[in-house]
Amino acid sequence: KAGVTQTPRYLIKTRGQQVTLSCSPISGHRSVSWYQQTPGQGLQFLFEYFSETQRNKGNFPGRFSGRQFSNSRSEMNVSTLELGDSALYLCASSLATSGGKETQYFGPGTRLLVL
Amino acid sequence: ELKVEQNPLFLSMQEGKNYTIYCNYSTTSDRLYWYRQDPGKSLESLFVLLSNGAVKQEGRLMASLDTKARLSTLHITAAVHDLSATYFCAVKNTGNQFYFGTGTSLTVIP
């Protein structure tokens, strides 16, 4: 079974630009979550999508948005990039069964550098 | 906001020794997760602990959960070099949001 894939793997942007990252979950997984990892702030939850609906959202500004398609693939968008948005962005998928027992499977991440 | 604290942040241990990583969290939760991250790599799920007193073991790693004390431990037995990595605990709150600890960077030296 193929794992979680993320594209692109590396990205360099300049301040003020916008960026779209893509995540393809494991086949059959309906939940996709996004995380930002930085040396200073650690791992922070961005949002979770389930069946094309945003189910949970972390404490990030509105410049961070996402969506999920009917095939469970997800994209996240960051508009008006700031230097502080430089980070590793991780996507994780899970079966999202009831009771929260599901294990999350993480993709390799997209490393974003904002200049 | 839920706070998750891990200690130690850095751990250097000799091969063959035992040690424990601690994960404390600030609010009620009965769902705790442990992950491993190798340098430059993504996260790998190690354990999912879902009830008070839960204990899970895989190889030289054993994780436990005490929901009353809001504490989870990851015990390493007879460490080997392959265990060198950063270990994260994460807690899911009632809103199904994940909160991660700061991570413990483990180096096992010969």
Side-chain angles (χ1 to χ4, degrees):
Chain A
K1 204 177 217 185
V4 178
T5 58
Q6 291 185 246
T7 56
R9 294 292 312 279
Y10 303 91
L11 206 49
I12 300 175
K13 292 284 188 179
T14 56
R15 279 180 297 175
Q17 287 187 309
Q18 74 164 15
V19 67
T20 299
L21 312 181
S22 180
C23 171
S24 292
I26 291 173
S27 177
H29 286 194
R30 297 167 66 189
S31 168
V32 174
S33 297
W34 288 89
Y35 298 87
Q36 181 195 65
Q37 187 176 28
T38 60
Q41 299 297 319
L43 269 159
Q44 294 183 286
F45 170 76
L46 279 156
F47 28 65
E48 181 203 4
Y49 284 87
F50 179 79
S51 292
E52 302 179 63
T53 301
Q54 187 180 87
R55 191 157 72 166
N56 290 294
K57 190 177 190 304
N59 297 323
F60 277 81
R63 300 185 297 107
F64 292 81
S65 63
R67 59 178 175 167
Q68 187 180 33
F69 301 95
S70 58
N71 61 358
S72 293
R73 189 177 71 86
S74 178
E75 289 181 347
M76 69 162 279
N77 184 275
V78 188
S79 63
T80 320
L81 284 165
E82 301 176 0
L83 295 180
D85 297 333
S86 295
L88 179 67
Y89 289 89
L90 293 165
C91 160
S93 77
S94 70
L95 283 169
T97 55
S98 63
K101 298 180 176 60
E102 69 279 8
T103 296
Q104 286 194 317
Y105 296 86
F106 282 80
T110 294
R111 191 166 294 280
L112 171 65
L113 176 62
V114 182
L115 301 175
Chain B
E1 184 178 297
L2 194 154
K3 301 282 186 197
V4 183
E5 292 183 350
Q6 282 181 242
N7 69 83
L9 297 183
F10 299 94
L11 176 57
S12 180
M13 56 189 299
Q14 285 190 310
E15 278 190 334
K17 297 292 187 183
N18 305 332
Y19 209 83
T20 301
I21 299 170
Y22 297 88
C23 173
N24 290 91
Y25 52 98
S26 61
T27 62
T28 302
S29 174
D30 59 0
R31 291 177 280 177
L32 191 129
Y33 305 75
W34 283 97
Y35 296 89
R36 167 184 171 143
Q37 186 175 36
D38 290 294
K41 301 288 180 64
S42 189
L43 275 75
E44 173 192 354
S45 177
L46 293 174
F47 301 108
V48 180
L49 302 169
L50 296 173
S51 60
N52 187 41
V55 177
K56 290 200 174 178
Q57 182 163 5
E58 180 75 33
R60 301 174 188 275
L61 301 177
M62 183 174 71
S64 66
L65 177 62
D66 181 343
T67 57
K68 293 179 183 174
R70 297 176 188 168
L71 171 69
S72 178
T73 61
L74 180 66
H75 186 74
I76 303 155
T77 302
V80 294
H81 180 70
D82 285 352
L83 290 179
S84 296
T86 298
Y87 293 85
F88 292 93
C89 64
V91 176
K92 218 175 193 185
N93 68 1
T94 52
N96 279 319
Q97 293 178 337
F98 275 91
Y99 289 85
F100 280 81
T102 48
T104 296
S105 176
L106 169 66
T107 303
V108 180
I109 54 179

